[in-house]
């Protein structure tokens, strides 16, 4: 069986799918699951956590499910030209350290924080913990978002002038922040999110075809919104 990425749209697997789309990877089968299927015996056999993503390659005996491990493995295996991650031995120690730090910070801190807040607001109003919502929004506004803005440092992308997997990865929690009206206060983060989310690959990876309605200002000649593969030069 071909290497397979098991994916639920709008979870942390979506940026991984977007990266594969942008790399033009054809060797990995992307199998889209529902949330209910995450708890199926078949999926639990490959990922006992019952979560998304999971990646398997039966020929090599690989079965992994931690998103950071999946992303790193796929980058090392398929991003051989190092379009989206720094090359060890060529990149400076600072570039490598910042890349690894940002990847871990987004996966371990930013993503679960905003996902938890977003899910809390989806509950019926009488079931919502308003104290938690208020304190979480305050923490985003005063700590997490300013920290990300500091990492961005006025650059168009986190690693400089070229897009990297960090920018695809941060788009997932920024999508939650956008839904909560917590992104406009941070124009640099908002602009970065638009650059990533207006790429045609974002709509495919997140199963959000309606996202194109918010990108009416983007054209085929818009370098900020062009998909490297799906909408080439």
């Amino acid at each position: 069986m071909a290497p397979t990425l098991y994916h639920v749209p709008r979870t942390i697997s979506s940026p991984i799918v977007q990266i594969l789309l942008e790399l033009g990877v054809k060797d990995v089968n992307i199998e889209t699951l529902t949330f209910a299927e995450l708890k199926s015996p078949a999926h639990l056999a490959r990922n006992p956590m019952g979560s998304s993503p999971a990646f398997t390659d039966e020929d090599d005996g690989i079965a992994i499910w931690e998103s950071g491990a999946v992303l790193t493995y796929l980058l090392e295996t398929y991003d051989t030209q190092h379009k989206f991650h720094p090359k060890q031995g060529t990149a400076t120690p600072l570039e490598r350290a910042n890349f690894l730090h940002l990847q871990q910070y987004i996966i371990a801190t930013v993503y679960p924080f905003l996902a938890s807040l977003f899910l809390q607001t989806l509950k019926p109003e009488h079931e919502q913990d308003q104290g938690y919502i208020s304190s979480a929004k305050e923490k985003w506004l005063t700590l997490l978002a300013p920290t990300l803005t500091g990492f961005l440092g006025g650059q168009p992308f986190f690693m400089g002038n070229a897009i990297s997997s960090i920018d695809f990865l941060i788009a997932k929690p920024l999508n939650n922040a956008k839904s909560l009206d917590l992104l406009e206060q941070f124009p640099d983060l908002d602009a970065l999110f638009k650059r990533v989310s207006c790429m045609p690959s974002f709509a495919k990876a997140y199963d959000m075809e309606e996202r194109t309605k918010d990108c009416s200002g983007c054209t085929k000649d818009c370098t900020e919104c062009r998909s490297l593969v799906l909408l080439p030069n």
Side-chain angles (χ1 to χ4, degrees):
M1 183 176 180
T4 302
L5 178 67
Y6 297 89
H7 156 64
V8 176
R10 309 190 197 192
T11 69
I12 196 63
S13 62
S14 284
I16 300 174
V17 171
Q18 188 176 11
I19 289 166
L20 291 178
L21 291 172
E22 288 296 330
L23 288 172
V25 173
K26 305 297 184 184
D27 298 337
V28 175
N29 176 49
I30 299 174
E31 184 166 329
T32 301
L33 305 176
T34 65
F35 280 101
E37 288 173 325
L38 291 177
K39 307 304 180 184
S40 68
H43 187 69
L44 290 172
R46 69 179 72 99
N47 178 355
M49 300 299 104
S51 58
S52 169
F55 175 79
T56 63
D57 185 344
E58 294 181 358
D59 289 345
D60 289 328
I62 296 171
I64 56 177
W65 59 81
E66 287 292 338
S67 54
V70 173
L71 174 58
T72 299
Y73 177 80
L74 292 175
L75 286 172
E76 290 179 352
T77 303
Y78 296 102
D79 186 19
T80 56
Q81 299 301 311
H82 293 272
K83 292 181 179 179
F84 298 145
H85 76 295
K87 183 178 182 179
Q88 192 167 3
T90 300
T92 67
L94 178 60
E95 289 171 335
R96 284 276 300 161
N98 284 344
F99 177 86
L100 294 171
H101 186 206
L102 281 165
Q103 178 174 295
Q104 186 66 13
Y105 179 58
I106 293 166
I107 291 174
T109 302
V110 180
Y111 166 66
F113 178 86
L114 281 170
S116 177
L117 173 57
F118 180 71
L119 290 173
Q120 181 69 216
T121 65
L122 295 181
K123 294 181 179 180
E125 190 170 354
H126 69 278
E127 295 181 10
Q128 294 179 14
D129 184 339
Q130 295 300 329
Y132 165 75
I133 291 174
S134 178
S135 64
K137 287 183 176 180
E138 182 69 13
K139 186 175 181 179
W140 165 255
L141 293 170
T142 61
L143 179 59
L144 273 73
T147 298
L148 286 169
T149 299
F151 280 131
L152 194 55
Q155 304 175 114
F157 301 105
F158 274 99
M159 297 302 293
N161 292 321
I163 196 168
S164 75
S165 63
I166 300 300
D167 307 296
F168 294 112
L169 191 60
I170 193 60
K172 170 62 187 86
L174 291 185
N175 190 41
N176 289 143
K178 188 80 169 179
S179 299
L180 294 164
D181 295 323
L182 294 175
L183 196 55
E184 289 76 7
Q185 301 94 315
F186 303 94
D188 288 349
L189 295 178
D190 196 23
L192 172 63
F193 176 68
K194 183 177 181 181
R195 291 184 187 105
V196 177
S197 65
C198 284
M199 299 170 80
S201 58
F202 181 91
K204 291 181 177 292
Y206 287 76
D207 192 23
M208 293 178 66
E209 296 299 335
E210 71 273 14
R211 174 63 191 156
T212 56
K213 298 176 182 177
D214 299 325
C215 301
S216 56
C218 296
T219 68
K220 188 173 182 179
D221 297 324
C222 174
T223 57
E224 291 186 349
C225 304
R226 181 183 298 120
S227 168
L228 303 182
V229 172
L230 301 180
L231 191 58
N233 289 324

